[in-house]
């Protein structure tokens, strides 16, 4: 657990065999949100830390980029602790959760839509993830200029609590077809991302970037 940016806490599972870090992020505010759950056992491990940081506050939102175990595997653990939790995901991911038996609150979002609270404003960007091509969204927090990149800006290695310097335009150009295999969808994603000017990239895997 580490505060990697203002009001932004990072939790990490490191899988040494494949040199991969899996990050989740807790953003504090009047309505705190968590980005990703990690795998179910990891969610159980980080839940006491989340509760300690939140204190008397309740977790308001869980942001899910796409349907994978490291993104939402521990959702039932969070739901048990925070029964009023609202999940925010793409429409396709919301349908997948229903198919897996999740019956909690879900808000479906598309690229260009927003969610505004007192301390933050989230803008959603369509993310045709490598898993299903049309099922994902990524998130830009406009007030603090934080981009939550999911699997887009992935680096191997132990990135626990580590922040590198980076260039936003270079990071966009590095996104290749191993991340988004359809060339037209990849082009559109890059064009969408160019409209933002983040200060911090909270990566799903690897090393966060100050830009």
């Amino acid at each position: 657990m580490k505060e990697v940016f203002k009001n932004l806490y990072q939790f990490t599972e490191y899988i040494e065999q494949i040199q991969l870090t899996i990050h989740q992020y807790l953003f504090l505010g009047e309505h705190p949100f968590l980005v990703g759950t990690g795998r179910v056992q990891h969610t159980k491990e980080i839940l006491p830390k989340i509760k300690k940081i939140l204190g008397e506050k309740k977790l308001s939102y869980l942001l899910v980029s796409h349907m994978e175990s490291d993104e939402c595997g521990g959702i039932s653990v969070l739901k048990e602790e925070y029964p009023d939790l609202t999940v925010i995901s793409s429409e396709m991911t919301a349908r997948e959760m229903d198919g897996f038996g999740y019956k909690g609150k879900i808000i479906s979002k598309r690229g260009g839509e927003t969610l505004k609270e007192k301390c933050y404003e989230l803008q959603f960007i369509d993310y045709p993830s490598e898993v299903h091509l049309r099922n994902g969204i990524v998130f830009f927090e406009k007030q603090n200029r934080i981009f939550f990149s999911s699997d887009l800006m992935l680096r191997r290695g132990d990135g626990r609590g580590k922040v590198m310097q980076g260039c936003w335009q270079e990071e966009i150009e590095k996104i290749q077809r191993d991340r988004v295999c359809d060339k037209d969808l990849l082009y559109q994603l890059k064009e969408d991302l160019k409209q933002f000017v983040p200060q911090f990239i909270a990566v799903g895997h690897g090393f966060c970037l100050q830009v």
Side-chain angles (χ1 to χ4, degrees):
M1 174 184 68
K2 181 176 180 179
E3 187 175 12
V4 289
F5 200 64
K6 183 180 179 181
N7 293 325
L8 185 69
Y9 290 82
Q10 181 190 79
F11 307 89
T12 304
E13 177 184 13
Y14 180 56
I15 305 175
E16 189 170 1
Q17 297 91 326
I18 56 175
Q19 297 185 321
L20 185 69
T21 46
I22 303 173
H23 300 301
Q24 303 81 44
Y25 298 93
L26 175 65
F27 186 88
L28 294 183
E30 189 172 338
H31 299 280
F33 65 80
L34 184 70
V35 179
T37 68
R39 299 184 295 180
V40 62
Q41 185 57 42
H42 186 62
T43 310
K44 293 177 181 179
E45 293 172 3
I46 68 173
L47 183 57
K49 300 175 184 178
I50 292 173
K51 292 169 64 177
K52 182 177 180 180
I53 295 170
L54 291 178
E56 297 300 316
K57 294 183 178 180
K58 300 297 183 183
L59 187 64
S60 295
Y61 300 108
L62 169 65
L63 276 56
V64 176
S65 174
H66 58 283
M67 193 74 181
E68 282 190 298
S69 62
D70 61 321
E71 301 287 341
C72 54
I75 192 169
S76 60
V77 177
L78 289 175
K79 180 69 166 56
E80 184 175 352
E81 181 65 33
Y82 300 107
D84 294 326
L85 179 71
T86 297
V87 173
I88 299 176
S89 71
S90 70
E91 293 177 352
M92 183 177 291
T93 299
R95 292 197 297 271
E96 290 290 313
M97 287 189 183
D98 182 68
F100 281 99
Y102 178 74
K103 301 299 182 183
K105 300 176 185 176
I106 301 180
I107 297 175
S108 297
K109 290 290 186 179
R110 297 180 179 180
E113 296 183 340
T114 61
L115 173 72
K116 189 170 184 178
E117 296 288 1
K118 185 175 181 180
C119 298
Y120 59 82
E121 182 177 359
L122 291 164
Q123 182 159 345
F124 303 96
I125 304 123
D126 287 327
Y127 166 38
S129 76
E130 75 282 4
V131 181
H132 296 299
L133 281 181
R134 292 190 300 275
N135 80 325
I137 49 175
V138 285
F139 322 103
F140 181 68
E141 200 289 293
K142 298 172 71 173
Q143 292 188 25
N144 298 276
R145 293 166 55 189
I146 304 169
F147 178 63
F148 296 93
S149 69
S150 186
D151 295 354
L152 287 174
M153 296 165 182
L154 183 153
R155 287 174 170 83
R156 298 282 174 178
D158 186 351
R160 287 175 284 190
K162 297 175 183 177
V163 179
M164 302 170 57
Q165 292 295 316
C167 171
W168 178 237
Q169 295 300 323
E170 289 179 4
E171 292 303 315
I172 292 174
E173 292 308 315
K174 287 177 184 176
I175 304 171
Q176 299 300 318
R177 290 176 68 181
D178 62 333
R179 299 291 97 200
V180 179
C181 60
D182 183 285
K183 65 178 181 178
D184 295 328
L185 294 175
L186 175 59
Y187 173 81
Q188 185 59 56
L189 173 63
K190 289 184 175 184
E191 291 300 300
D192 291 342
L193 293 178
K194 288 175 183 177
Q195 68 178 292
F196 300 101
V197 185
Q199 289 186 331
F200 190 84
I201 302 174
V203 299
H205 308 281
F207 301 82
C208 289
L209 295 167
Q210 189 93 36
V211 293

